[in-house]
């Protein structure tokens, strides 16, 4: 994990993160958090994948075990969650760890939602209703809504975030969900199945949604995952994961190599419109602590 010789930018502006994949046992999280904190990683991201670690539980632990690193949950599947519970947990994190929690929601993997009896007829409608209600609750509003899926009767948080503009991101892939993210979310999360061309297209669709909702003013950050393999057998591990996910035919997806190669891949996503790039290790990454150190110490200095 040695960087190639490239000139480091004088003032880095892109936020760089890494993922703690839920294929790892939860008791491994603390050592990864400590490695990320010591290395100066910008962001550590967690997933609420069925049926592994809970997103809010691991986020609270990660925030408590660190002092500086921002912790993201990307994402929470809304069919599993009453919006009031999501708001209560989010507000608690924002108050206990000001400025360090990043929360994203999405409609979840539909097969998993079916397994637990939470699959809905219109995932997009549910996501829209959840986003609008969640953002209102976190802004300190008192909410009454009788939607198709979200129903609240005079609900307000006793302990809303001290900073009302905390922001809720939406995970989105298809055109309708991307437009919805522009319409109803404060930012967008794109999976590692998104190359630079996909980021540009997503930006366009999100802007269409923002325009339709009259929300053109203000920032709308994009978080983009980048499947990354480094170290021994990096090429083979990357190819195996892309094959397993059915993504081998997608051009310019993922990166294998040293810090210079990874930084170049990050820059391509940034030029396409990413504000934060999150390095996603392969599921068989042999050294997750070393991976976050690689991201912070080797790749970060090479990224603009």
């Amino acid at each position: 994990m040695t960087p190639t010789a490239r000139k480091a930018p004088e003032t880095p502006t892109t936020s760089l993160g890494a993922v703690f994949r839920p294929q790892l046992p939860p008791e491994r999280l603390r050592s990864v958090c400590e490695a990320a904190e010591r290395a100066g990683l910008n962001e550590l991201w967690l997933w609420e994948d069925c049926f592994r670690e809970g997103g809010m539980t691991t986020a609270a632990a990660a925030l408590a075990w660190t002092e500086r690193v921002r912790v993201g949950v990307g994402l929470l599947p809304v069919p599993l969650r009453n919006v009031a519970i999501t708001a209560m947990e989010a507000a608690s994190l924002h108050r206990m760890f000001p400025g360090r929690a990043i929360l994203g929601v999405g409609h979840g993997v539909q097969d998993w939602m079916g397994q637990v009896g939470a699959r809905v007829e219109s995932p997009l409608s549910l996501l829209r209703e959840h986003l609008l209600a969640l953002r209102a609750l976190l802004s300190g509003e008192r909410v009454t809504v009788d939607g198709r899926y979200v129903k609240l009767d005079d609900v307000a948080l006793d302990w809303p975030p001290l900073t009302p503009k905390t922001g809720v991101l939406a995970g989105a892939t298809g055109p309708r969900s991307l437009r919805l993210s522009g319409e109803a979310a404060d930012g967008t999360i794109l999976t590692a199945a998104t190359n630079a061309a996909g980021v540009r297209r997503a930006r366009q669709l999100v802007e269409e949604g923002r325009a339709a909702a009259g929300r053109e003013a203000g920032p709308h950050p994009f978080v983009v995952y980048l499947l990354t393999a480094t170290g021994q057998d990096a090429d083979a591990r990357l190819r195996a994961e892309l094959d397993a996910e059915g993504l081998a035919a997608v051009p310019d997806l993922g990166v294998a190599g040293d810090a210079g190669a990874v930084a170049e891949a990050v820059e391509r996503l940034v030029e396409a419109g990413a504000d934060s790039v999150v390095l996603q290790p392969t599921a068989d990454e042999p050294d997750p602590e070393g991976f976050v150190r690689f991201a912070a110490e080797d790749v970060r200095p090479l990224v603009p």
Side-chain angles (χ1 to χ4, degrees):
M1 298 184 181
T2 303
T4 57
R6 300 174 72 238
K7 183 179 180 180
E10 294 181 1
T11 307
T13 56
T14 303
S15 185
L16 190 73
V19 178
F20 176 86
R21 291 189 61 149
Q23 286 85 355
L24 294 167
E27 60 269 22
R28 189 73 179 267
L29 176 60
R30 182 165 191 164
S31 64
V32 174
C33 289
E34 291 171 348
E37 181 80 2
R38 286 194 298 269
L41 187 70
N42 298 144
E43 299 174 2
L44 181 67
W45 282 78
L46 310 168
W47 296 348
E48 187 164 84
D49 264 5
C50 297
F51 299 96
R52 299 182 174 111
E53 293 99 353
M56 291 301 208
T57 308
T58 50
L63 287 161
W65 288 329
T66 56
E67 295 182 356
R68 184 205 52 77
V69 66
R70 300 184 74 199
V71 175
V73 183
L75 45 76
L76 300 166
V78 298
L80 293 178
R81 296 178 158 273
N82 183 287
V83 69
I85 295 295
T86 308
M88 290 160 58
E89 292 180 325
S92 295
L93 291 182
H94 287 307
R95 290 183 71 104
M96 291 188 292
F97 308 101
R100 294 179 54 215
I102 314 166
L103 301 177
V105 299
H107 52 58
V109 177
Q110 295 308 294
D111 287 345
W112 290 343
M113 299 304 101
Q115 281 183 269
V116 297
R119 189 166 186 167
V120 299
E121 184 178 356
S122 177
L124 203 66
S125 295
L126 170 57
L127 182 57
R128 175 182 285 105
E129 292 179 6
H130 195 105
L131 277 166
L132 293 173
L134 179 59
R135 290 175 60 237
L137 289 169
L138 292 176
S139 295
E141 298 178 25
R142 184 168 296 277
V143 181
T144 295
V145 61
D146 185 18
R148 182 175 178 180
Y149 298 111
V150 173
K151 300 179 185 297
L152 298 173
D153 182 10
D154 195 33
V155 174
L157 297 176
D158 282 9
W159 300 105
L162 294 171
T163 303
K165 299 297 183 183
T166 53
V168 179
L169 281 63
T173 52
R176 291 194 301 164
S177 60
L178 285 163
R179 291 190 183 96
L180 171 60
S181 184
E183 172 193 336
D186 300 299
T188 300
I189 301 171
L190 302 177
T191 73
T194 313
N195 58 16
V199 175
R200 292 188 185 93
R201 177 59 174 159
R203 273 276 182 195
Q204 177 183 346
L205 291 165
V206 165
E207 289 305 318
E208 291 176 8
R210 280 163 60 85
R215 302 182 66 211
E216 298 98 324
H220 184 100
F222 270 67
V223 177
V224 185
Y225 289 103
L226 174 64
L227 184 62
T228 304
T230 191
Q232 188 173 8
D233 302 322
D235 287 320
R237 289 190 288 110
L238 179 66
R239 287 196 303 270
E241 180 127 342
L242 290 173
D243 286 340
E245 297 295 327
L247 298 171
V250 181
D252 301 320
L253 202 61
V255 59
D258 62 13
V262 175
E264 288 175 0
V266 170
E267 287 179 29
R268 287 193 291 272
L269 295 176
V270 171
E271 289 170 359
D275 299 287
S276 175
V277 177
V278 183
L279 306 187
Q280 175 181 317
T282 57
D284 60 355
E285 165 60 48
D287 182 9
E289 292 84 1
F291 186 86
V292 298
R293 288 194 294 269
F294 167 74
E297 297 173 353
D298 296 347
V299 181
R300 168 71 275 180
L302 306 180
V303 173

